[in-house]
Amino acid sequence: MRAPACLPNDIDALRALVLAHQAQLQAHQQENQALRAEREAFHAEREAFKQGKRDDSDEIARLKLLLAKLQRLLFGQRSEKLQHQVDQLQLELEELYLNQAQRVEPARSAQPRAERQAPVRRALPEHLPREVMEHLPEATACPDCGGAWKRLGQDVSDMLEYVPASLRIIRHVRPRLTCTCCERMMQAPAPSRPIARGWAGPGLLAHVCVSKYADHIPLHRQARIYEREGVELADSTLADWVGGVHQLLAPLVAALRDHVFSARKLHTDDTPVPVLMPGSGKTRQARLWTYVRDDRPHAGAAAPAAWFRYSPDRKGIHPQTHLKDFSGTLQADAYAGYDAIYARGRVIEAACWAHARRKFHEIHVDRPTPITTHALERIAELYRIEAGIRGSPPEHRKQVRQVESVPIVTALRAWLTEQLPTVSRKSVTAEAIGYALNQWQALTRYLDDGEVEIDNSAAERSVRGIACGRKNYLFLGSDRGGERAATMYSLMETAKLNGIDPEAYLRRVLAVIAEYPVNRVADLLPWNLAAQA
């Protein structure tokens, strides 16, 4: 092969030309590598941008869902527009009732007696006191012949009436007596007063406390109510009474705590309460913790009870202190403050299916998907099984759960595990699935123990009254006010769990507790006092 004519014949020149070409080729290769790296960087940046857009879409969806949830919480119950519509509907319904009554009454009078149908109405409560009023004719004898009346029978009709509550003064008189023979003197002991040197009786103290903590009427509003009765009671006086009752009831609440924590299984939850910060005009968020013992769903004989405790914040040390002597199963949410309790080994964690279901339901309300629909349907099946065995002995409950619930739970876990990779890891659906799978061992604890419930509803029900009260009193005045609230909520919620009127119960307790032996104060717990009646 002949060399091109343009190439030099000098060997040195040829070597120089080869080196120049090699350098140029190497430069092109480096340029190509740089272009290739730039292209790969561009592709990586493009993929990152696409992923970022997907993540942004998931984040937008998550934020929209959270915003919708917060709007429901903020406006769902207190919307003025919605409340106005409800009020209008109630007025329209009331007007319809009135118009119907006006149309029916003439129609009834025009109908023959044989065609009239007896109205179906609910019987009046048997436990209410009856006051019999007998109505006799004005004429004491027959106006025609003067003969005496003879009773042939009687017509009886009942009317439900309201007798307004009233204040009264009970004057205790203790005569001083002396013997006419030996001049010995005798006088009855002074009756017990709930509060030393106080002139409020047990009934009034019970009414003030129940009005404040059960009916959510702040003390300043109660003072205005008593003014209408012609009795002036300062807000400070009412507050002193509530403080005195709190001190009186402290031993009883301690006995209640012993009863609650002697259970093998407890339900617990906490709820926020705003507390006033002195001097700033602002509030900070404190907590009321509830611990509920309720063995009725598994046919337990122990009385149901609730014990509340106040804390100025939500640090984990508070439940850890409350439960330091407890051994058994604790049914709670996934709050990290309980982890140290489970780590001790004496307390077994049981989670709440209502919490797991709620996360899917919140998504389903605004954006139903096949995943949320399937999860809610399977969880509903678990609850239908529980409804059929509520009130049965633990052994029967466990047997039914092993046969009917275990297959559903096993299939649900496998299905959730399959669905998790199909959704974005930052989506709300992934959060709901992840919560359920992370809590799976605790969620399935109830399947192997007939005494454990499927959810923590017992504790959640006990704090509903507190949530209602927050809308009325707005905030607690101090940490001491929180401790007083915990005392009152403990006894009132326990009384309600046992089907006892809280005010009647407190009235009986306050009438005797000031001089009651401390070592027998457990006799005054609601179920024990009811047994003595």
Side-chain angles (χ1 to χ4, degrees):
M1 182 176 179
R2 294 177 58 186
C6 60
L7 292 178
N9 294 325
D10 187 356
I11 189 169
D12 293 332
L14 286 173
R15 287 177 178 175
L17 184 60
V18 169
L19 292 176
H21 280 295
Q22 288 178 346
Q24 188 177 6
L25 181 60
Q26 187 176 3
H28 281 301
Q29 290 177 346
Q30 292 177 351
E31 184 178 356
N32 288 337
Q33 290 178 356
L35 289 174
R36 190 179 299 109
E38 185 177 353
R39 185 181 62 180
E40 292 177 354
F42 173 77
H43 285 308
E45 184 177 356
R46 185 178 64 178
E47 291 300 321
F49 178 74
K50 290 182 179 179
Q51 182 62 38
K53 289 184 63 177
R54 287 194 293 268
D55 292 343
D56 288 344
S57 299
D58 294 336
E59 182 67 10
I60 289 172
R62 188 184 71 83
L63 292 177
K64 283 184 176 180
L65 183 66
L66 179 60
L67 180 60
K69 175 184 175 182
L70 293 176
Q71 286 177 335
R72 286 197 301 271
L73 293 175
L74 181 60
F75 301 110
Q77 296 294 332
R78 296 181 291 182
S79 170
E80 295 180 0
K81 181 178 180 181
L82 178 60
Q83 187 61 45
H84 177 71
Q85 293 174 351
V86 172
D87 293 340
Q88 286 297 113
L89 290 174
Q90 288 178 338
L91 290 174
E92 292 177 15
L93 183 60
E94 180 178 336
E95 189 67 22
L96 287 174
Y97 282 144
L98 293 174
N99 293 337
Q100 185 182 34
Q102 292 175 356
R103 290 194 300 269
V104 170
E105 192 60 35
R108 285 179 176 175
S109 60
Q111 289 178 351
R113 183 174 298 273
E115 297 180 3
R116 293 181 61 183
Q117 296 180 354
V120 179
R121 70 176 55 172
R122 186 176 301 175
L124 295 176
E126 293 293 336
H127 69 276
L128 294 179
R130 260 67 174 175
E131 179 181 347
V132 179
M133 299 181 64
E134 190 174 54
H135 304 276
L136 297 175
E138 294 182 0
T140 58
C142 178
D144 295 336
C145 65
W149 296 114
K150 178 181 178 182
R151 189 184 292 263
L152 296 177
Q154 62 184 13
D155 294 328
V156 179
S157 61
D158 291 335
M159 179 184 296
L160 186 63
E161 183 59 286
Y162 174 73
V163 180
S166 61
L167 295 169
R168 65 185 63 185
I169 298 175
I170 299 178
R171 178 170 295 173
H172 298 275
V173 179
R174 297 184 298 129
R176 293 187 295 272
L177 306 177
T178 182
C179 178
T180 57
C181 298
C182 64
E183 299 183 354
R184 178 177 177 178
M185 297 185 65
M186 181 68 71
Q187 186 180 32
S192 173
R193 291 177 180 265
I195 299 177
R197 297 182 298 277
W199 45 266
L204 178 57
L205 293 175
H207 182 68
V208 169
C209 293
V210 171
S211 297
K212 176 175 174 59
Y213 294 102
D215 300 330
H216 320 299
I217 304 177
L219 294 180
H220 67 90
R221 294 184 191 172
Q222 293 190 49
R224 306 294 86 78
I225 294 174
Y226 291 126
E227 281 183 5
R228 296 200 297 267
E229 297 287 333
V231 178
E232 294 185 5
L233 296 174
D235 300 357
S236 59
T237 300
L238 296 177
D240 290 341
W241 289 352
V242 173
V245 170
H246 165 69
Q247 294 179 354
L248 271 176
L249 298 177
L252 185 58
V253 175
L256 177 63
R257 180 198 179 280
D258 293 341
H259 171 77
V260 169
F261 283 87
S262 65
R264 292 180 51 192
K265 177 208 63 179
L266 280 184
H267 297 268
T268 183
D269 199 3
D270 65 283
T271 187
V273 286
V275 179
L276 186 65
M277 298 173 64
S280 65
K282 301 179 180 179
T283 61
R284 56 181 171 82
Q285 195 172 89
R287 290 279 161 171
L288 276 172
W289 306 81
T290 181
Y291 300 92
V292 179
R293 174 180 187 174
D294 193 350
D295 299 337
R296 294 173 297 179
H298 63 264
W307 183 75
F308 287 81
R309 193 67 173 171
Y310 169 83
S311 67
D313 51 52
R314 205 195 182 203
K315 294 180 180 178
I317 188 62
H318 302 299
Q320 294 165 20
T321 302
H322 304 158
L323 295 160
K324 61 183 178 63
D325 297 324
F326 173 70
S327 296
T329 303
L330 183 67
Q331 197 131 24
D333 56 24
Y335 172 51
Y338 299 122
D339 292 344
I341 301 172
Y342 304 137
R344 299 172 186 169
R346 293 188 294 109
V347 178
I348 301 173
E349 178 185 10
C352 174
W353 272 98
H355 278 78
R357 177 191 179 278
R358 194 171 299 144
K359 293 185 177 296
F360 289 103
H361 183 263
E362 290 171 353
I363 304 171
H364 192 79
V365 170
D366 293 312
R367 191 179 57 189
T369 65
I371 293 179
T372 60
T373 302
H374 181 82
L376 292 175
E377 288 176 350
R378 299 289 81 76
I379 296 174
E381 291 180 9
L382 296 178
Y383 272 88
R384 281 193 290 270
I385 295 171
E386 290 303 304
I389 58 176
R390 185 170 294 112
S392 301
E395 296 78 9
H396 176 68
R397 284 156 58 97
K398 179 180 177 180
Q399 181 181 4
V400 173
R401 288 168 176 173
Q402 291 292 317
V403 174
E404 300 182 19
S405 300
V406 168
I408 298 175
V409 170
T410 304
L412 180 59
R413 182 182 186 183
W415 182 82
L416 290 175
T417 304
E418 293 176 358
Q419 299 304 313
L420 185 58
T422 66
V423 298
S424 172
R425 53 192 172 88
K426 292 187 177 181
S427 66
V428 289
T429 303
E431 291 181 6
I433 296 176
Y435 176 88
L437 293 178
N438 291 336
Q439 295 291 313
W440 202 260
Q441 183 177 6
L443 283 172
T444 57
R445 187 82 63 189
Y446 83 104
L447 298 173
D448 300 318
D449 190 338
E451 294 186 1
V452 179
E453 295 302 304
I454 189 174
D455 58 29
N456 197 32
S457 296
E460 293 187 356
R461 286 192 298 266
S462 70
V463 298
R464 286 178 183 170
I466 301 174
C468 181
R470 284 196 300 261
K471 300 178 182 179
N472 291 270
Y473 58 70
L474 300 181
F475 55 82
L476 298 173
S478 64
D479 290 337
R480 293 180 62 185
E483 294 170 359
R484 290 192 291 267
T487 293
M488 300 304 173
Y489 284 131
S490 297
L491 294 175
M492 293 181 187
E493 183 64 25
T494 299
K496 289 189 288 185
L497 285 173
N498 287 271
I500 300 172
D501 176 21
E503 184 170 342
Y505 167 68
L506 280 182
R507 187 186 305 117
R508 291 188 61 187
V509 169
L510 293 174
V512 299
I513 194 171
E515 298 180 359
Y516 208 82
V518 176
N519 59 347
R520 292 174 45 205
V521 73
D523 297 343
L524 301 181
L525 290 171
W527 56 91
N528 291 332
L529 203 59
Q532 300 172 17

